[in-house]
Amino acid sequence: MSRRIKVAAAQLGGVTNAMSIDNKASRKMVLDRMVALLNDAADRGCDLVVFPEFALIPVFVRFHVARLEQFDHFYEQSMPSENTQRLFDTARERGIGFSLGYAELVEEEGRIRRFNTMILVDRSGDITLKYRKVHLPGSAAPVSDDPFQNLEKYYFEVGNLGFPVAEFNSCKIGICICNDRRWPETYRMLRLKGAELILLGYSSPVHNPREDQSPELRNFHNLLCMQSGAYQNSCFVVGAAKAGIEDGVELIAGSSIINPYGEILAIAKSSDDELIVAECDMAECEPGRKEEFNFNTTRRPELYGALVEPH
Amino acid sequence: MSRRIKVAAAQLGGVTNAMSIDNKASRKMVLDRMVALLNDAADRGCDLVVFPEFALIPVFVRFHVARLEQFDHFYEQSMPSENTQRLFDTARERGIGFSLGYAELVEEEGRIRRFNTMILVDRSGDITLKYRKVHLPGSAAPVSDDPFQNLEKYYFEVGNLGFPVAEFNSCKIGICICNDRRWPETYRMLRLKGAELILLGYSSPVHNPREDQSPELRNFHNLLCMQSGAYQNSCFVVGAAKAGIEDGVELIAGSSIINPYGEILAIAKSSDDELIVAECDMAECEPGRKEEFNFNTTRRPELYGALVEPH
């Protein structure tokens, strides 16, 4: 049986300013843009559309507020939520799946918890996979001299759902979020769970204020991680960027669809809303898994003990 | 204190035919070439020269012989050996270190054992580090339709020394060999042991008879693995290739010196004997280790259990 997914990465340009936001109006504008991209993808025969991390909102982790609750309007407290229902409705109407990154607020274990989350929604509008970001970048407290913050460790807990995998079109799908893509453990964990296609949403500043790296170097790292992750794990990677400029901060674009040989099948040309599309045939995962990266014959987990030792 | 190593990768062109070899004459010719490269590197003020995997001999794993012992003339039974003494002498005379890949035959645990091995030799001609290849590619038995074989799993045991690290010029050095470079676990294990500069010897066919990949794609994978390994582990990688044509088999060249940002500092332009040189300042490992790849704050070994589970 042929197992294929025609997949789209829906790159988004910037969302409006986080500190002066009219949350309700901004949400509607963003949702209009996302529904348009979802319809466009359906028109082009896609099975699945990947939206970025923080798709619905500005990347508020750039700013510090004294109490976490001051930013709770950026979080979704249910899914679908009032803010996202139209996406789910469109998916069901058009028979198309989507993946969405959002800030999640839940009551779990008797307390309020906040996660950086991404879900997979099937053609019926049902959530079939949820992942909570493990590799939170940045700091847990403001860094005084930086021109903008990256306070993910302040606003979120480390994901507690592991690296789950679910089926879509009889293909095995995994999810990771932004900084996860720089850590080879992410792809490896997903591959070990059987993932053939990894959905990635990201929203990374072009200039990292904590490191002196050129935009060219930062863009190179973005592709390097996605391409090596795909090649070394014999899987497809679909990276969808929040791009453009937000709150004066320029974001890495370069949304890409990459095959199991690490080759770029499609890459965004703009820094704005843009759909890129490629047909992914899971049969292309097989040669690598049978030969060069045959885990059964060549990988040596018994020699990797240090990988799981506490630092 | 400034911790720097001026390092060279000594790429080698092909060695003479494995099946019709005059072992003694061939060894002398190869050693002449290697001593010339070592002297050249010393003249250029290098601290350390990296030679490829199977530097002294043709890559005999392409051929099948019924009894392993028929190929024992390709193995070193001591180190330094008669075949390599001149390298050690030159290193001591010139005050330069080197790293050498070779087939190793030893009696251990009461039996003859064969490993694919690489060592680090310091400026005094002393061996300070030994690594035995973990990720053996290819098969344990001949594959009948292939134009040439890759019988590493037949000729060698999986390395039993782990992923050791040693000091050179007050810098922490690790070693890996050929196919090891495609496995992110290799770099990660070395990084966790503190490696700042990873020495890599390789000898890979341009055409892998078990996979249908273009020379361009194979060369891309070679760089992709070295560059992502360097970047994701904030370390230098020095890859030295056995290049050229051996036994009618064309080998991947592209010997490279790569910095902790994954940038290529030097890359070989030929497929023949060629020295490439770069100065590596270990201070360049620090920004990545403090920020983007700060293991203490961002890596999550407690969530990576599957990485060490048996397949």
Side-chain angles (χ1 to χ4, degrees):
Chain A
M1 187 197 66
S2 168
R3 296 185 303 114
R4 294 164 180 266
I5 298 184
K6 190 168 180 181
V7 69
Q11 181 171 284
L12 291 174
V15 177
T16 192
N17 189 291
M19 294 307 278
S20 64
I21 201 165
D22 175 343
N23 194 44
K24 206 145 192 167
S26 167
R27 294 295 186 111
K28 180 169 181 321
M29 277 196 297
V30 177
L31 205 61
D32 286 346
R33 290 158 58 186
M34 292 172 68
V35 168
L37 287 161
L38 194 58
N39 273 315
D40 187 8
D43 291 343
R44 292 167 69 175
C46 293
D47 302 298
L48 177 60
V49 178
V50 185
F51 291 104
E53 182 188 34
F54 299 128
L56 308 156
I57 51 175
V59 184
F60 64 88
V61 301
R62 294 183 199 115
F63 300 95
H64 181 248
V65 288
R67 290 178 305 104
L68 289 180
E69 295 74 15
Q70 292 172 262
F71 270 174
D72 276 357
H73 53 285
F74 290 127
Y75 293 74
E76 307 302 315
Q77 305 204 16
S78 63
M79 190 58 70
S81 55
E82 194 190 325
N83 296 316
T84 57
Q85 186 62 52
R86 217 157 27 105
L87 265 185
F88 284 78
D89 294 343
T90 307
R92 193 165 25 240
E93 284 160 22
R94 303 297 308 262
I96 189 170
F98 70 91
S99 182
L100 172 72
Y102 63 99
E104 179 189 19
L105 190 152
V106 283
E107 192 173 331
E108 271 184 15
E109 299 176 4
R111 59 191 172 94
I112 298 296
R113 307 183 69 174
R114 294 169 179 81
F115 297 99
N116 188 338
T117 299
M118 196 156 162
I119 49 167
L120 175 65
V121 177
D122 70 12
R123 298 163 185 286
S124 317
D126 294 325
I127 297 169
T128 56
L129 182 62
K130 179 190 275 194
Y131 169 72
R132 290 170 172 166
K133 187 173 182 176
V134 164
H135 300 97
L136 297 172
S139 55
V143 182
S144 59
D145 288 343
D146 286 353
F148 58 89
Q149 304 295 322
N150 183 357
L151 290 165
E152 284 203 45
K153 289 187 172 78
Y154 176 62
Y155 287 110
F156 302 109
E157 292 183 55
V158 171
N160 62 348
L161 301 178
F163 297 89
V165 165
E167 287 213 354
F168 184 95
N169 271 24
S170 305
C171 310
K172 291 202 170 164
I173 308 279
I175 292 177
C176 66
I177 304 176
C178 201
N179 186 47
D180 285 324
R181 75 190 182 288
R182 303 185 193 272
W183 297 79
E185 290 87 352
T186 304
Y187 305 92
R188 206 50 133 203
M189 290 296 294
L190 290 169
R191 166 69 183 85
L192 285 164
K193 302 279 172 79
E196 298 167 301
L197 194 154
I198 294 175
L199 313 180
L200 158 68
Y202 62 91
S203 64
S204 308
V206 168
H207 301 275
N208 179 344
R210 308 294 309 152
E211 295 195 88
D212 180 26
Q213 297 179 4
S214 68
E216 292 74 17
L217 187 57
R218 296 271 294 164
N219 287 328
F220 164 65
H221 290 161
N222 183 43
L223 289 176
L224 181 66
C225 292
M226 293 192 287
Q227 291 182 280
S228 60
Y231 167 60
Q232 293 176 330
N233 295 283
S234 311
C235 63
F236 290 90
V237 172
V238 182
K242 169 82 79 77
I245 294 175
E246 250 188 35
D247 297 316
V249 175
E250 191 182 348
L251 297 170
I252 292 174
S255 299
S256 297
I257 304 174
I258 294 163
N259 76 10
Y261 298 99
E263 296 171 301
I264 297 170
L265 300 178
I267 184 165
K269 290 173 183 63
S270 76
S271 299
D272 211 333
D273 291 10
E274 180 181 346
L275 207 66
I276 58 168
V277 174
E279 178 124 352
C280 302
D281 182 349
M282 300 307 126
E284 288 186 32
C285 303
E286 290 313 310
R289 290 171 191 218
K290 276 190 191 137
E291 293 291 335
E292 206 160 30
F293 295 104
N294 185 324
F295 282 12
N296 290 328
T297 63
T298 307
R299 198 169 172 274
R300 298 288 161 204
E302 70 278 14
L303 302 179
Y304 303 150
L307 296 183
V308 294
E309 286 168 16
H311 298 122
Chain B
M1 188 198 66
S2 167
R3 297 184 303 116
R4 293 164 180 267
I5 298 183
K6 191 168 179 181
V7 70
Q11 180 171 286
L12 292 174
V15 178
T16 191
N17 188 291
M19 293 309 275
S20 64
I21 202 167
D22 175 344
N23 194 45
K24 205 144 193 169
S26 167
R27 294 294 187 110
K28 179 167 181 323
M29 278 196 298
V30 177
L31 204 61
D32 286 346
R33 290 159 57 186
M34 292 172 69
V35 168
L37 288 161
L38 195 58
N39 273 314
D40 186 9
D43 292 344
R44 293 167 70 174
C46 293
D47 302 298
L48 177 61
V49 178
V50 185
F51 291 104
E53 182 189 34
F54 299 128
L56 308 156
I57 51 174
V59 183
F60 64 88
V61 300
R62 293 181 199 116
F63 300 96
H64 180 249
V65 288
R67 291 178 305 105
L68 289 180
E69 296 74 15
Q70 291 172 262
F71 270 174
D72 276 358
H73 54 284
F74 289 127
Y75 292 75
E76 307 302 314
Q77 306 204 14
S78 62
M79 191 57 72
S81 56
E82 194 189 324
N83 296 318
T84 57
Q85 187 60 53
R86 224 163 14 112
L87 265 185
F88 283 78
D89 295 342
T90 307
R92 191 163 28 236
E93 284 160 23
R94 302 297 309 263
I96 188 169
F98 69 91
S99 182
L100 173 71
Y102 62 99
E104 180 190 19
L105 189 152
V106 284
E107 192 173 332
E108 270 183 17
E109 300 176 4
R111 61 191 171 94
I112 298 297
R113 306 184 69 174
R114 294 169 179 82
F115 296 100
N116 188 338
T117 299
M118 197 156 161
I119 49 168
L120 174 65
V121 177
D122 70 12
R123 299 162 184 286
S124 318
D126 295 324
I127 298 169
T128 55
L129 182 62
K130 180 190 274 193
Y131 170 72
R132 289 169 172 165
K133 186 173 181 176
V134 163
H135 300 97
L136 298 171
S139 56
V143 182
S144 60
D145 288 342
D146 286 352
F148 58 89
Q149 303 296 321
N150 183 358
L151 289 165
E152 284 204 44
K153 288 187 172 78
Y154 176 61
Y155 287 110
F156 302 109
E157 293 183 55
V158 171
N160 61 349
L161 302 178
F163 297 89
V165 165
E167 286 214 355
F168 184 95
N169 273 22
S170 305
C171 309
K172 292 203 170 163
I173 309 279
I175 294 177
C176 66
I177 304 176
C178 200
N179 186 47
D180 284 325
R181 76 190 181 290
R182 302 185 194 272
W183 297 78
E185 290 89 351
T186 303
Y187 304 91
R188 207 49 133 202
M189 289 296 293
L190 290 169
R191 166 70 183 84
L192 285 164
K193 302 280 173 77
E196 297 167 302
L197 193 155
I198 294 175
L199 314 180
L200 158 68
Y202 61 91
S203 65
S204 307
V206 168
H207 301 276
N208 179 344
R210 307 295 308 155
E211 294 195 90
D212 181 26
Q213 297 179 2
S214 69
E216 292 73 18
L217 186 57
R218 295 272 294 163
N219 287 328
F220 164 66
H221 290 160
N222 183 43
L223 290 175
L224 181 67
C225 291
M226 293 193 287
Q227 292 181 279
S228 60
Y231 166 61
Q232 292 176 330
N233 295 283
S234 312
C235 63
F236 290 90
V237 172
V238 182
K242 170 82 79 73
I245 294 175
E246 252 188 31
D247 297 316
V249 175
E250 191 182 348
L251 297 170
I252 292 174
S255 298
S256 297
I257 303 174
I258 294 162
N259 76 9
Y261 299 99
E263 296 172 301
I264 297 171
L265 300 178
I267 184 165
K269 290 172 182 62
S270 76
S271 299
D272 211 332
D273 291 10
E274 181 180 345
L275 207 65
I276 58 166
V277 175
E279 178 124 352
C280 303
D281 183 348
M282 299 308 125
E284 288 186 31
C285 302
E286 290 315 310
R289 291 173 191 218
K290 276 190 192 137
E291 294 292 334
E292 205 160 31
F293 295 105
N294 185 325
F295 282 12
N296 291 327
T297 61
T298 307
R299 199 170 172 273
R300 298 290 160 204
E302 71 276 15
L303 302 179
Y304 303 151
L307 297 183
V308 296
E309 285 167 17
H311 298 125

